[in-house]
Amino acid sequence: MTYVSPGKGYERDSRYIATRITADGREGFPVRPGRYRLVVSRACPWASRAVVVRRLLGLEQALPMAVAGPVHDEDSWTFDLDPGGRDPVLGIERLKEAYLAREPGYDRGITVSAIVDVPTGAVVTNDFPQITIDMSLEWAPHHRPGAPELYPAELRPDIDAVNEVVYRDVNNGVYRAGFAGSQETYEEAYERLFARLDWLSDRLARSRYLVGDTITEADVRLFTTLVRFDAVYHGHFKCNRNKLAEMPVLWGYARDLFQTPGFGDTVDFDHIKRHYHLVHSDINPTGIVPAGPEPEPWLAPHDRAGLGGRPFGDGTPPGPLPRAERVPAGHNPLPGAGPP
């Protein structure tokens, strides 16, 4: 598949279906436990945000999840992990079918995460930044007891400010480097990426978390990029000034989050590597998937607790993963992440 335009920089298509699911249903889609299906891929960093937030808040029963396979073609994400290659609830083989049910002739990106209205089989929204905010605010009555506040009112301006620069320079910055079509656009993205990672290192050298003394939405958004850095972005996207493991503060911060229930136990390193190295055939035409890096270093002590902070504030960690949502054995080094 072609992602690089020779001589040009990379521009993400942000024309999302922005309909919101709200507590009052003001846009036609009220919050209703069991009515919707969250479609994700564990390979995708944008979808992985929703997976982490859903788990931290305990929305597993209220908002059931479908997991697409890690490799898609130019047409769509597929449900090849499910028996018969169909999602057992929606009954579809390709996520594109749910997009066309919403908009016949839909011609934009078939992206995850997407929330599908089960009764109609149509996508409600794929506006991934808003999806996780609404999980925190609109779905609050259905949070588990002890769920953390990931988007507290008093910290929202700071969270939003951090999220804006992290998205521009880091979350999307790795793509701007990896899909650059010229030396100039690549180097510009590369410099902005590592300047922002240095800025984040300085900030996190003094604070355990990005905003305040608990985990927030800002930490979730940074984590899903950092956890892919050495496995994909360092080599595949040429973001190779340093590995994450060579940036002590960020490496410790990322390990701290990885070892926090709700973060690392949702990560599938096999899906991550297969997606990037098989789907981006213009960058990796041989289709060879790297064997490394080994995941066990993610379990090494991080020594971040000395900075203070309480991961869940006055709340509690989520409980064990439901068996049906455990990452396959061998795809994650955490005890209990995969089936026994």
Side-chain angles (χ1 to χ4, degrees), residues 6 20 31 51 56 103 110 141 148 224 250 281 286 304 318:
R20 293 176 62 193
V31 168
V51 178
L56 292 175
E103 292 186 18
I110 308 295
T224 58
L250 287 177
S281 56
T286 64
R304 295 280 297 174

Side-chain angles (χ1 to χ4, degrees), residues 2-3 5 9-18 44 46 74 99 103 105-113 126-129 167 172 175-176 179:
T2 301
Y3 289 86
S5 298
Y10 171 69
E11 296 294 334
R12 181 173 297 278
D13 185 352
S14 299
R15 297 173 297 157
Y16 302 115
I17 299 174
C44 174
W46 318 103
E74 293 184 3
Y99 277 84
E103 292 186 18
Y106 182 88
D107 62 354
R108 289 164 278 160
I110 308 295
T111 63
V112 288
S113 51
N126 65 338
D127 187 359
F128 67 88
Y167 170 79
N172 199 46
Y175 286 85
R176 291 176 63 246
F179 294 152

Side-chain angles (χ1 to χ4, degrees), residues 263-278:
F263 283 84
D265 53 19
T266 68
V267 173
D268 189 318
F269 285 112
D270 177 79
H271 282 201
I272 289 168
K273 291 192 295 184
R274 285 204 285 145
H275 170 75
Y276 284 91
H277 291 95
L278 294 176

